[in-house]
Tab-separated table of all heavy atoms in Angstrom:
chain	number	residue	atom	x	y	z
B	93	GLU	N	167.243	86.025	123.530
B	93	GLU	CA	165.891	85.810	124.078
B	93	GLU	C	164.823	86.240	123.089
B	93	GLU	O	163.717	85.721	123.086
B	93	GLU	CB	165.739	86.572	125.392
B	93	GLU	CG	166.710	86.039	126.442
B	93	GLU	CD	166.313	86.370	127.861
B	93	GLU	OE1	165.913	87.523	128.098
B	93	GLU	OE2	166.425	85.471	128.718
B	94	PHE	N	165.181	87.190	122.244
B	94	PHE	CA	164.208	87.681	121.269
B	94	PHE	C	164.955	88.301	120.098
B	94	PHE	O	165.925	89.032	120.287
B	94	PHE	CB	163.290	88.728	121.919
B	94	PHE	CG	162.352	89.399	120.963
B	94	PHE	CD1	161.217	88.751	120.498
B	94	PHE	CD2	162.613	90.692	120.505
B	94	PHE	CE1	160.358	89.369	119.601
B	94	PHE	CE2	161.750	91.320	119.611
B	94	PHE	CZ	160.622	90.651	119.162
B	95	LEU	N	164.498	88.003	118.901
B	95	LEU	CA	165.043	88.650	117.703
B	95	LEU	C	163.869	89.051	116.822
B	95	LEU	O	162.952	88.258	116.590
B	95	LEU	CB	165.970	87.696	116.941
B	95	LEU	CG	166.607	88.237	115.640
B	95	LEU	CD1	167.975	87.590	115.390
B	95	LEU	CD2	165.725	88.001	114.419
B	120	LYS	N	166.516	81.739	109.798
B	120	LYS	CA	166.016	80.466	110.344
B	120	LYS	C	167.139	79.468	110.619
B	120	LYS	O	166.939	78.511	111.358
B	120	LYS	CB	164.962	79.872	109.417
B	120	LYS	CG	163.605	80.565	109.559
B	120	LYS	CD	162.483	79.752	108.946
B	120	LYS	CE	161.125	80.351	109.334
B	120	LYS	NZ	160.006	79.660	108.698
B	123	LEU	N	167.926	80.753	114.255
B	123	LEU	CA	166.899	80.402	115.236
B	123	LEU	C	165.523	80.354	114.585
B	123	LEU	O	165.260	81.064	113.628
B	123	LEU	CB	166.924	81.325	116.449
B	123	LEU	CG	166.518	82.783	116.404
B	123	LEU	CD1	166.686	83.385	117.800
B	123	LEU	CD2	167.359	83.576	115.436
B	124	ASP	N	164.702	79.472	115.130
B	124	ASP	CA	163.359	79.271	114.614
B	124	ASP	C	162.552	80.569	114.749
B	124	ASP	O	162.750	81.324	115.703
B	124	ASP	CB	162.698	78.136	115.396
B	124	ASP	CG	161.379	77.736	114.786
B	124	ASP	OD1	161.242	77.833	113.552
B	124	ASP	OD2	160.471	77.341	115.543
B	125	GLY	N	161.669	80.807	113.796
B	125	GLY	CA	160.894	82.030	113.872
B	125	GLY	C	159.701	82.027	112.951
B	125	GLY	O	159.473	81.066	112.207
B	126	THR	N	158.933	83.093	113.028
B	126	THR	CA	157.723	83.245	112.230
B	126	THR	C	157.860	84.470	111.334
B	126	THR	O	158.228	85.541	111.809
B	126	THR	CB	156.495	83.431	113.157
B	126	THR	OG1	156.451	82.330	114.056
B	126	THR	CG2	155.199	83.493	112.355
B	127	ALA	N	157.567	84.284	110.040
B	127	ALA	CA	157.685	85.383	109.079
B	127	ALA	C	156.292	85.831	108.650
B	127	ALA	O	155.467	85.016	108.256
B	127	ALA	CB	158.487	84.932	107.865
B	141	PHE	N	159.827	89.328	110.814
B	141	PHE	CA	160.254	88.004	111.288
B	141	PHE	C	160.478	88.127	112.785
B	141	PHE	O	161.171	89.042	113.237
B	141	PHE	CB	161.550	87.587	110.585
B	141	PHE	CG	162.152	86.306	111.110
B	141	PHE	CD1	161.769	85.080	110.584
B	141	PHE	CD2	163.106	86.330	112.128
B	141	PHE	CE1	162.328	83.892	111.056
B	141	PHE	CE2	163.667	85.149	112.606
B	141	PHE	CZ	163.271	83.922	112.071
B	142	THR	N	159.888	87.247	113.582
B	142	THR	CA	160.167	87.240	115.020
B	142	THR	C	160.541	85.827	115.437
B	142	THR	O	159.977	84.845	114.939
B	142	THR	CB	158.958	87.705	115.861
B	142	THR	OG1	157.799	86.966	115.455
B	142	THR	CG2	158.684	89.188	115.687
B	143	SER	N	161.502	85.737	116.332
B	143	SER	CA	161.963	84.426	116.804
B	143	SER	C	160.851	83.726	117.571
B	143	SER	O	160.042	84.370	118.238
B	143	SER	CB	163.177	84.616	117.720
B	143	SER	OG	162.850	85.484	118.801
B	144	ASN	N	160.816	82.413	117.455
B	144	ASN	CA	159.828	81.632	118.213
B	144	ASN	C	160.400	81.281	119.587
B	144	ASN	O	160.439	80.124	119.977
B	144	ASN	CB	159.474	80.350	117.449
B	144	ASN	CG	158.579	80.638	116.262
B	144	ASN	OD1	157.986	81.714	116.171
B	144	ASN	ND2	158.491	79.693	115.353
B	145	THR	N	160.817	82.295	120.304
B	145	THR	CA	161.341	82.080	121.652
B	145	THR	C	160.219	82.332	122.647
B	145	THR	O	159.229	83.000	122.337
B	145	THR	CB	162.525	83.047	121.911
B	145	THR	OG1	162.198	84.341	121.364
B	145	THR	CG2	163.784	82.532	121.249
B	146	SER	N	160.373	81.787	123.849
B	146	SER	CA	159.274	81.877	124.822
B	146	SER	C	159.294	83.193	125.600
B	146	SER	O	158.398	83.486	126.382
B	146	SER	CB	159.356	80.701	125.799
B	146	SER	OG	160.613	80.737	126.451
B	147	PHE	N	160.327	83.978	125.372
B	147	PHE	CA	160.490	85.269	126.051
B	147	PHE	C	159.260	86.164	125.830
B	147	PHE	O	158.760	86.286	124.721
B	147	PHE	CB	161.733	85.950	125.472
B	147	PHE	CG	162.102	87.242	126.115
B	147	PHE	CD1	162.709	87.264	127.357
B	147	PHE	CD2	161.858	88.454	125.469
B	147	PHE	CE1	163.073	88.472	127.944
B	147	PHE	CE2	162.213	89.657	126.057
B	147	PHE	CZ	162.825	89.662	127.304
B	288	ASN	N	153.637	86.342	119.290
B	288	ASN	CA	153.628	85.376	120.393
B	288	ASN	C	154.574	85.755	121.541
B	288	ASN	O	154.827	84.955	122.433
B	288	ASN	CB	153.897	83.941	119.889
B	288	ASN	CG	155.058	83.899	118.921
B	288	ASN	OD1	155.781	84.889	118.783
B	288	ASN	ND2	155.250	82.784	118.261
B	289	HIS	N	155.053	87.017	121.508
B	289	HIS	CA	155.819	87.520	122.644
B	289	HIS	C	155.013	88.556	123.400
B	289	HIS	O	155.549	89.330	124.190
B	289	HIS	CB	157.142	88.152	122.180
B	289	HIS	CG	157.903	87.270	121.260
B	289	HIS	ND1	157.662	87.245	119.916
B	289	HIS	CD2	158.851	86.347	121.506
B	289	HIS	CE1	158.460	86.345	119.365
B	289	HIS	NE2	159.178	85.785	120.294
Side-chain angles (χ1 to χ4, degrees):
Chain B
E93 297 200 316
F94 174 76
L95 179 150
K120 282 196 170 176
L123 69 181
D124 188 32
T126 305
F141 174 88
T142 51
S143 57
N144 286 344
T145 41
S146 59
F147 184 76
N288 46 11
H289 310 85

